[in-house]
């Protein structure tokens, strides 16, 4: 098979959609090198260079012009002889040649902008809805990253169930490797990390609910290490920390490499992620692979990601969150039990599972009669 990808996020996004794009191409190339994977972008960068060097992967620099992704990329994929075009971030080109039978696939990660419109501007909501709706209607196959996202696509975009396939995400190999004691020691010294701590990873925005996590550890003395890109919501968090004199209890980090981030997960006693809503929840998977006990929300897709042995909370109920944190913090045996079972559950998100699900989806699409 020859598969073309809209590689804008692959080359230009450092997290989120960028990680998804790079992992997907890496997994496919590693497990099915017999196929050709074309990465289309008008301005490719060095990001993901270890992946573009893999067998079967090639970079196609497309012509840069106004709306080139929408009006030119599809045609260029057809000219390159691609049998499948996969839009990795909820978008598909609008223009195609009628001379080709190329199949169109689009991944939709979440429809949070419809569930929580207050977090988005009116303009962004309208643009997102139009792009996602158009792409889902024009696609031959819609990939949803969770059963929750599939339900939302059916509900909000009115796409029939039989057109949607759930393919879970994996995560970077760094989270699956054995602990690197030298790197952990270096991190502990460099950032003056406490001997024991709880970890929170994710963009510091209202939906991720960091403020309730901090409220839950007031008076407990439990150190909290936070890693995530800041938004205006950070000011609200910072104000609460200052007011409650928690500057020595809550520590913010930034600028870590993927290897360092993975070791941070492995060093933590607990990973806490009481997000209000997620399309999937990759940080939860990262924690499970790292062998760290997880506390997360009982909402959206998070129970899919966390499995039966993560601990679940109502993300808006601070006393509930506090009781779960203190219980797990004070019970080493319970942390170890949940971490061990969580690692076993995480095996359903291994690269091999993701690769086979994707390849089967592609092959079924090509074998389907038009």
């Amino acid at each position: 098979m020859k598969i073309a990808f809209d590689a804008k996020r692959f080359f230009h996004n450092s997290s989120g959609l960028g990680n998804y794009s790079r992992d997907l191409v890496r997994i496919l190339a590693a497990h099915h090198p017999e196929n050709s994977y074309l990465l289309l972008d008008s301005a490719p960068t060095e990001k993901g260079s270890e992946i573009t060097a893999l067998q079967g992967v090639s970079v196609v620099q497309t012509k840069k012009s106004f709306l080139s992704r929408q009006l030119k990329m599809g045609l260029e994929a057809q000219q390159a002889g691609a049998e499948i075009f996969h839009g990795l971030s909820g978008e598909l080109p609008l223009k195609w040649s009628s001379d080709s039978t190329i199949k169109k696939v689009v991944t939709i990660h979440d429809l949070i902008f419809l569930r929580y419109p207050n977090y988005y501007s009116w303009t962004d909501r309208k643009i997102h809805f139009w792009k996602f709706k158009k792409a889902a209607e024009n696609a031959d196959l819609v990939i949803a990253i969770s059963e929750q996202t599939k339900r939302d696509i059916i509900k909000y975009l009115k796409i029939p169930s039989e057109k949607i396939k759930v393919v879970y995400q994996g995560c970077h190999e760094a989270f699956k490797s054995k602990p690197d004691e030298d790197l952990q020691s270096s991190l502990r010294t460099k950032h003056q990390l406490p001997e024991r701590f709880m970890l929170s990873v994710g963009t510091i925005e209202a939906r991720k609910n960091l403020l309730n996590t901090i409220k839950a550890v007031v008076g407990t003395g439990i150190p909290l290490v936070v890693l995530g890109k800041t938004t205006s919501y950070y000011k609200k968090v910072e104000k609460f920390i200052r007011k409650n004199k928690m500057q020595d209890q809550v520590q913010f980090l930034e600028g870590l490499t993927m290897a360092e981030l993975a070791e941070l997960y492995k060093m933590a006693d607990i990973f806490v992620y009481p997000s209000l809503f997620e399309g999937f929840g990759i940080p939860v998977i990262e924690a499970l692979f790292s062998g760290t006990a997880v506390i997360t929300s009982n909402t959206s897709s998070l129970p899919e990601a966390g499995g039966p042995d993560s601990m679940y909370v109502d993300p808006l109920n601070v006393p509930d969150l506090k009781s779960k944190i203190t219980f797990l913090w004070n019970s080493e045996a319970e942390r170890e039990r949940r971490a061990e079972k969580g690692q076993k559950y995480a095996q359903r998100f291994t690269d091999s599972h993701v690769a086979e699900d994707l390849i089967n989806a592609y092959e079924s699409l090509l074998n389907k009669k038009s």
Side-chain angles (χ1 to χ4, degrees), residues 109-301:
H109 298 261
D110 62 67
L111 296 175
I112 293 172
F113 67 95
L114 293 174
R115 280 187 167 272
Y116 292 89
N118 51 305
Y119 295 149
Y120 299 82
S121 70
W122 182 89
T123 303
D124 283 346
R125 293 199 307 272
K126 294 299 180 182
I127 291 173
H128 288 338
F129 180 78
W130 186 86
K131 286 195 302 187
F132 284 24
K133 174 82 168 168
K134 191 79 171 174
E137 289 175 344
N138 290 343
D140 297 291
L141 175 68
V142 178
I143 299 288
I145 63 167
S146 66
E147 293 290 347
Q148 175 65 60
T149 295
K150 179 178 179 177
R151 291 192 292 269
D152 283 355
I153 293 168
I154 294 168
K155 177 180 178 179
Y156 292 108
L157 302 185
K158 310 302 181 188
I159 301 301
S161 173
E162 57 271 18
K163 191 177 177 179
I164 308 166
K165 179 175 176 59
V166 174
V167 178
Y168 288 119
Q169 295 177 254
C171 71
H172 197 280
E173 287 298 298
F175 300 94
K176 304 167 191 174
S177 63
K178 293 181 179 179
D180 183 333
E181 292 182 4
D182 289 340
L183 183 52
Q184 289 190 9
S185 177
S186 173
L187 279 169
R188 198 177 295 279
T189 301
K190 179 180 178 181
H191 298 289
Q192 297 183 310
L193 297 172
E195 189 62 32
R196 295 182 62 198
F197 61 88
M198 185 169 67
L199 178 66
S200 171
V201 176
T203 304
I204 302 172
E205 60 181 346
R207 178 171 58 86
K208 301 292 187 180
N209 202 26
L210 175 61
L211 185 55
N212 274 359
T213 298
I214 294 172
K215 288 179 179 179
V217 297
V218 171
T220 65
I222 297 172
L224 175 65
V225 175
V226 180
L227 182 71
K229 180 182 176 182
T230 59
T231 67
S232 58
Y233 172 78
Y234 173 75
K235 294 178 182 178
K236 190 174 182 180
V237 172
E238 188 182 36
K239 182 179 179 181
F240 182 88
I241 290 171
R242 285 200 311 269
K243 182 180 178 181
N244 289 274
K245 298 180 173 57
M246 300 175 72
Q247 293 93 328
D248 292 334
Q249 187 179 355
V250 183
Q251 182 176 358
F252 292 89
L253 301 182
E254 58 183 359
L256 270 64
T257 66
M258 189 65 74
E260 290 172 333
L261 174 61
E263 292 308 315
L264 198 66
Y265 271 96
K266 295 166 194 171
M267 293 165 71
D269 279 36
I270 301 170
F271 177 72
V272 61
Y273 197 71
S275 177
L276 300 181
F277 194 92
E278 293 292 326
F280 184 49
I282 283 293
V284 170
I285 301 301
E286 293 170 344
L288 294 181
F289 273 114
S290 299
T292 300
V294 171
I295 298 175
T296 189
S297 301
N298 59 8
T299 61
S300 64
S301 63

Side-chain angles (χ1 to χ4, degrees), residues 4-11 13 15-22 24 40-41 69-70 73 85-93 105-111 113 127-133 135-136 142-143 145 169:
F5 299 95
D6 177 352
K8 178 183 177 181
R9 309 295 182 182
F10 181 105
F11 288 118
N13 283 49
S15 60
L17 296 176
N19 285 338
Y20 171 78
S21 301
R22 287 184 291 275
L24 183 143
L40 277 62
D41 187 59
R69 285 176 71 221
Q70 292 77 18
M73 187 176 283
F85 183 96
H86 191 162
L88 298 172
S89 55
E91 299 178 66
L92 282 175
V105 180
V106 65
T107 295
I108 293 181
H109 298 261
D110 62 67
L111 296 175
F113 67 95
I127 291 173
H128 288 338
F129 180 78
W130 186 86
K131 286 195 302 187
F132 284 24
K133 174 82 168 168
V142 178
I143 299 288
I145 63 167
Q169 295 177 254

Side-chain angles (χ1 to χ4, degrees), residues 298-315:
N298 59 8
T299 61
S300 64
S301 63
L302 290 165
E304 284 182 70
D309 294 288
S310 292
M311 188 169 273
Y312 295 98
V313 297
D314 174 351

